[in-house]
Amino acid sequence: MWGALGSARQEQGSSTPGPAAGSRVTDSEPFRILWGFGYSARLLKTNHYRPAASNTSSPAVWMLLAQRSGRIPALFAVVQKRRIFTMPETVQDDTNPGLYSPPPEVRGMTLLNREAFKRTVIVPVLKVKKEIVHTLLKSLKQTVLQRPGLKRVVEDPEDEDSKLIILDPHKVPEFSLGESEKEVLKQLHISPEVSEYNLELTYENFKSEEILRAVLPEGQDVTSGFSRVGHIAHVNLRDHQLPYRHLIGQVIVDKNPGITCVVNKTNIIDSTYRNFQMEVLAGESNLVTKVKENNFTYELDFAKVYWNPRLSTEHGRIVELLKPGDVLFDVFAGIGPFAIPAAKKKCVVFANDLNPESYNWLLHNCKLNKVDNKIKAFNMDGRDFLLGPVREELRKELTLVKEQKTAFHIVMNLPALAIEFLDVFRHLLVGEPCSAAVLPTVHCYGFSKHENPTKDIQERAGAVLGASLEGRCSTYLVRNVAPNKEMLCITFQIPVDVLYKRPCPAGEKPAPKRLRTCKDSTEENIQS
């Protein structure tokens, strides 16, 4: 009997396709696809093993395997350097379950029953003495099984002085070794006889996607990917997956160490506070979590504030543009992923968020990262923040004559609405700019479904700003949000004619209108 081996390998969004339903393979392809799927965990109990005939024909071996282990699937995915190849489908046979897939009885399961995933399969093994196992593994390293999570060497249940070495079915067609392998065994005085071994596979031996593909209706999308926020896994399920949502959640908890809560978004992001309603699918209901990003630690309540782990690269990109002494105005700061790293970089930081929960967690994270004395935090509407603290600071700083020019950066990360706030910069300041002043640089985020998203966001930003940005802006593609929907960042310096409202020179003031007198009326009557 075999003991349990290993533990489940962490999976985060595996995209390997699962087996096709109910098909037979032709006798020309048998052992090439035997191990089309890998297993992420441990092998459990096995019943027994026995020698396999070395000269058995290929169709006969397939019949033996089919009788003992069920249907052999026709469609497998073999991943090689990111390219996916599939075997063609052949005659369909719904009576036999896949050799290395969960039993067909689990199809349609909505409440997880782990016991229903038990099944037995056959693997080829070599029986060798314990003292030469290590030598043989080195000599047959291309033939022995080499798959993550599976042991290559197990106890021999019939001989305590021997071990069983599991071979790769791809490399041992017809349960018979090739001439080169036989020569190696001959030199080590080992019998080339290959044996069959019955293995009992359980729920622990299947990957998330294999389980979900076996459970959900055939032909429908399988969700095994998620965003991880600390101990929370966040999924976006489609309508056809909702009846299985609690099973999906439990599988994710089981297969991913450290995940103790799975949530599903139940509405779109609220444009005011940038949070969304969610349902806990599995695990604990604690949504207060801790995350690490770019060597900084943040704590947050995922149900009440906005956090997207896919933006870590963008946060780092913007902070990399800053230099010590620069001034950063973070208009929609959230819990601080731009503001806190900038403060740590010795920038002067003004951070604002309308959501009171985000503001409170911003203050908390400033203390957590020891920059609370370097950030001025505000809980205001973004427009009021720009018209108030931002305008006052720019008015003060841009009128000073300094030897070292200070750079000002305004980050506006609210993709759904930020472009609509650009009109605030029209005549934000009054007077003449100091000749040494550096105009503020704006980093504004937006979504686009246009076929040319760069041109689209540039024209929209220019229209709201009141000045064309053609030739004086740069656009950066942040990420693909959904099919035909991109998130972009447009960066530009505010044109001086937009930012400043200049008073008319004294000599060019229009003359005041002269009051009409009685004399004017008399002269007018005479002329007529």
Side-chain angles (χ1 to χ4, degrees):
M1 305 293 283
W2 290 2
L5 312 178
S7 60
R9 179 167 60 101
Q10 181 171 337
E11 302 166 20
Q12 294 198 25
S14 170
S15 59
T16 306
S23 301
R24 276 199 303 263
V25 296
T26 61
D27 59 8
S28 62
E29 296 287 350
F31 290 95
R32 179 168 157 237
I33 63 174
L34 240 177
W35 283 75
F37 283 93
Y39 298 97
S40 58
R42 51 190 177 276
L43 294 172
L44 299 180
K45 299 179 181 178
T46 60
N47 298 325
H48 58 275
Y49 75 99
R50 61 194 155 279
S54 59
N55 294 322
T56 306
S57 65
S58 176
V61 173
W62 276 109
M63 289 299 294
L64 174 63
L65 293 177
Q67 291 171 3
R68 292 177 178 271
S69 303
R71 175 180 61 80
I72 300 169
L75 182 61
F76 282 86
V78 181
V79 181
Q80 299 176 347
K81 296 183 179 179
R82 297 185 180 179
R83 294 190 299 166
I84 297 178
F85 301 88
T86 58
M87 299 295 297
E89 283 196 49
T90 57
V91 181
Q92 189 152 332
D93 182 1
D94 294 325
T95 61
N96 298 318
L99 182 61
Y100 289 105
S101 61
E105 292 78 16
V106 302
R107 180 76 66 190
M109 179 187 297
T110 56
L111 295 178
L112 182 61
N113 177 9
R114 298 176 182 84
E115 292 298 314
F117 287 83
K118 285 185 178 180
R119 63 167 311 185
T120 301
V121 297
I122 299 174
V123 294
V125 294
L126 271 178
K127 179 176 179 176
V128 300
K129 293 297 181 182
K130 289 182 177 180
E131 56 268 20
I132 60 172
V133 167
H134 182 68
T135 302
L136 185 60
L137 286 176
K138 292 177 64 176
S139 301
L140 294 182
K141 61 182 180 180
Q142 300 300 323
T143 306
V144 298
L145 182 65
Q146 298 187 45
R147 297 189 67 83
L150 299 181
K151 280 189 176 181
R152 297 174 293 173
V153 181
V154 296
E155 298 292 335
D156 183 347
E158 298 180 358
D159 185 356
E160 62 181 15
D161 294 327
S162 299
K163 295 278 190 178
L164 299 177
I165 297 180
I166 303 177
L167 305 176
D168 186 344
H170 285 117
K171 310 294 178 59
V172 190
E174 302 181 6
F175 277 63
S176 178
L177 293 169
E179 292 302 320
S180 60
E181 289 85 1
K182 288 180 180 179
E183 183 62 30
V184 170
L185 296 178
K186 182 178 179 180
Q187 294 177 6
L188 296 173
H189 306 289
I190 301 172
S191 171
E193 187 175 60
V194 178
S195 302
E196 297 175 355
Y197 209 99
N198 290 346
L199 303 182
E200 185 181 280
L201 300 177
T202 70
Y203 172 81
E204 284 76 17
N205 301 117
F206 300 107
K207 297 188 293 185
S208 296
E209 185 162 342
E210 292 167 345
I211 293 171
L212 299 181
R213 191 171 294 279
V215 170
L216 269 64
E218 295 183 73
Q220 294 189 349
D221 293 337
V222 173
T223 295
S224 59
F226 55 84
S227 296
R228 182 164 184 168
V229 183
H231 68 275
I232 302 168
H234 170 218
V235 297
N236 290 322
L237 299 184
R238 299 184 179 180
D239 290 342
H240 72 270
Q241 297 162 340
L242 293 179
Y244 307 90
R245 63 188 184 279
H246 295 294
L247 181 144
I248 292 171
Q250 189 58 55
V251 170
I252 292 174
V253 170
D254 290 345
K255 297 296 181 178
N256 296 275
I259 295 294
T260 59
C261 176
V262 180
V263 300
N264 179 44
K265 183 172 67 175
T266 57
N267 71 338
I268 62 173
I269 294 176
D270 179 89
S271 59
T272 304
Y273 286 164
R274 291 197 296 175
N275 52 19
F276 49 81
Q277 296 177 0
M278 62 185 72
E279 178 187 10
V280 176
L281 303 183
E284 61 183 359
S285 297
N286 177 23
L287 297 181
V288 176
T289 188
K290 178 185 291 187
V291 297
K292 285 194 173 182
E293 180 184 274
N294 301 330
N295 297 319
F296 292 91
T297 300
Y298 304 91
E299 293 181 352
L300 61 130
D301 186 336
F302 191 54
K304 297 180 180 178
V305 305
Y306 178 80
W307 180 265
N308 191 335
R310 295 185 178 92
L311 294 178
S312 60
T313 301
E314 181 62 11
H315 296 152
R317 183 183 75 88
I318 294 296
V319 173
E320 187 67 24
L321 300 175
L322 308 177
K323 297 178 180 179
D326 287 355
V327 178
L328 173 68
F329 302 104
D330 194 350
V331 185
F332 312 106
I335 65 170
F338 287 115
I340 290 172
K344 207 72 170 180
K345 203 171 181 178
K346 299 182 179 180
C347 295
V348 178
V349 178
F350 295 73
N352 171 74
D353 202 278
L354 175 62
N355 184 354
E357 290 288 341
S358 295
Y359 171 74
N360 290 332
W361 284 107
L362 171 63
L363 297 178
H364 174 81
N365 288 313
C366 287
K367 292 181 180 180
L368 186 64
N369 290 278
K370 300 180 180 179
V371 293
D372 48 305
N373 60 341
K374 299 178 180 180
I375 294 179
K376 297 179 182 179
F378 302 85
N379 180 208
M380 306 172 65
D381 176 80
R383 189 173 293 271
D384 294 336
F385 176 66
L386 290 167
L387 291 171
V390 174
R391 177 161 60 181
E392 289 302 316
E393 187 67 17
L394 289 177
R395 180 185 297 166
K396 180 179 68 175
E397 291 292 325
L398 293 181
T399 57
L400 299 177
V401 178
K402 298 180 180 179
E403 293 183 3
Q404 184 175 355
K405 297 180 180 181
T406 301
F408 301 90
H409 293 263
I410 303 173
V411 174
M412 305 175 69
N413 183 21
L414 184 63
L417 295 173
I419 289 178
E420 299 177 14
F421 286 73
L422 294 179
D423 64 320
V424 173
F425 297 120
R426 295 185 185 183
H427 297 168
L428 184 65
L429 302 179
V430 177
E432 291 290 340
C434 175
S435 59
V438 177
L439 294 171
T441 298
V442 175
H443 310 275
C444 183
Y445 294 82
F447 294 131
S448 177
K449 295 183 178 181
H450 197 274
E451 59 181 10
N452 187 340
T454 297
K455 180 180 179 182
D456 174 51
I457 199 168
Q458 176 182 307
E459 291 180 350
R460 286 162 51 205
V464 178
L465 189 66
S468 173
L469 293 175
E470 185 175 357
R472 43 184 183 178
C473 71
S474 63
T475 306
Y476 182 82
L477 178 62
V478 178
R479 69 186 188 98
N480 176 259
V481 178
N484 302 317
K485 184 178 181 180
E486 309 291 345
M487 177 179 174
L488 302 97
C489 175
I490 183 169
T491 297
F492 61 91
Q493 279 192 317
I494 307 174
V496 64
D497 291 336
V498 172
L499 183 61
Y500 284 92
K501 180 181 180 181
R502 296 175 176 176
C504 294
E508 297 181 9
K509 289 184 179 180
K513 291 184 178 180
R514 186 168 60 89
L515 293 177
R516 188 167 180 160
T517 63
C518 294
K519 181 180 179 181
D520 294 330
S521 300
T522 304
E523 291 177 352
E524 184 177 316
N525 292 333
I526 293 173
Q527 292 175 1
S528 61

